[in-house]
Amino acid sequence: KPDGFVSCIDPTITKAVIPASINGKDVKGIYYKAFSSCQALTEVIIEDGVKEIDEGAFKDCKALMKITIPASVENIGTGAFRGCSNLEEVIFLGSAIESIANETFLDCSSLKEINLPSGLKELPYAVFKDCTSLETITIPDTVTSIGANAFANNVQISKVTLNSSIT
């Protein structure tokens, strides 16, 4: 895909800022496994304007601790952050996201708290499975469906804020 970020050229980078444009051309997405297994990456900031985080984009980035997702992101693909075992902080700066894919945060075992963006309509299969440190989750009123195993193996959860229309 020529209009997005496709590869982690330097596996030793520790911080990545994904710009909204490069040389006047819009960056529309972070594509399939673009940063997968970048072992030194600890922080990612995505600028407003990027619309997609594709399947496995940050899969198994074991050092990743913080990600900032702008309001412009519309889609987060399957397993985008799967296996990011040191991910502690996910910041949604508002959001156009209506759904996130299966297993998006599977095995993010250091994630303690998440405040999901308003507009989100569903939490799919295994989205937070094996997030064994997850204690607090805020689910917006717009969510009406929670898939099977969405929170499987999360014994630390002590506070869930959600609406009454979830099925």
Side-chain angles (χ1 to χ4, degrees):
K1 297 181 180 179
D3 55 357
F5 198 83
V6 295
S7 180
C8 177
I9 296 170
D10 182 357
T12 66
I13 63 168
T14 58
K15 181 177 180 180
V17 177
I18 310 301
S21 66
I22 298 174
N23 298 326
K25 185 165 176 73
D26 290 345
V27 174
K28 295 182 179 169
I30 304 162
Y31 294 124
Y32 181 75
K33 294 188 176 182
F35 287 93
S36 181
S37 300
C38 287
Q39 296 303 312
L41 189 63
T42 60
E43 181 178 4
V44 175
I45 298 169
I46 303 169
E47 291 185 357
D48 199 36
V50 176
K51 296 188 182 305
E52 178 179 10
I53 301 172
D54 205 357
E55 179 180 344
F58 297 96
K59 182 180 179 198
D60 294 325
C61 289
K62 303 288 185 197
L64 184 62
M65 297 174 70
K66 180 179 180 182
I67 180 112
T68 303
I69 300 172
S72 59
V73 170
E74 298 171 353
N75 180 51
I76 299 179
T78 300
F81 302 100
R82 181 181 184 158
C84 294
S85 56
N86 283 303
L87 184 62
E88 295 176 352
E89 189 172 11
V90 178
I91 300 169
F92 289 98
L93 300 174
S95 186
I97 298 174
E98 291 186 1
S99 67
I100 53 181
N102 295 340
E103 302 175 351
T104 297
F105 295 101
L106 176 72
D107 198 24
C108 291
S109 55
S110 294
L111 188 62
K112 290 184 179 181
E113 177 179 354
I114 191 151
N115 294 305
L116 296 168
S118 61
L120 190 64
K121 293 186 177 181
E122 70 172 311
L123 296 178
Y125 172 79
V127 66
F128 293 105
K129 182 178 179 184
D130 296 327
C131 293
T132 54
S133 296
L134 189 61
E135 296 173 356
T136 304
I137 183 162
T138 302
I139 301 171
D141 289 343
T142 53
V143 170
T144 58
S145 176
I146 297 178
N149 296 314
F151 300 102
N153 304 325
N154 295 343
V155 296
Q156 298 297 323
I157 292 178
S158 60
K159 182 177 181 184
V160 177
T161 305
L162 51 92
N163 80 51
S164 62
S165 63
I166 293 178
T167 58

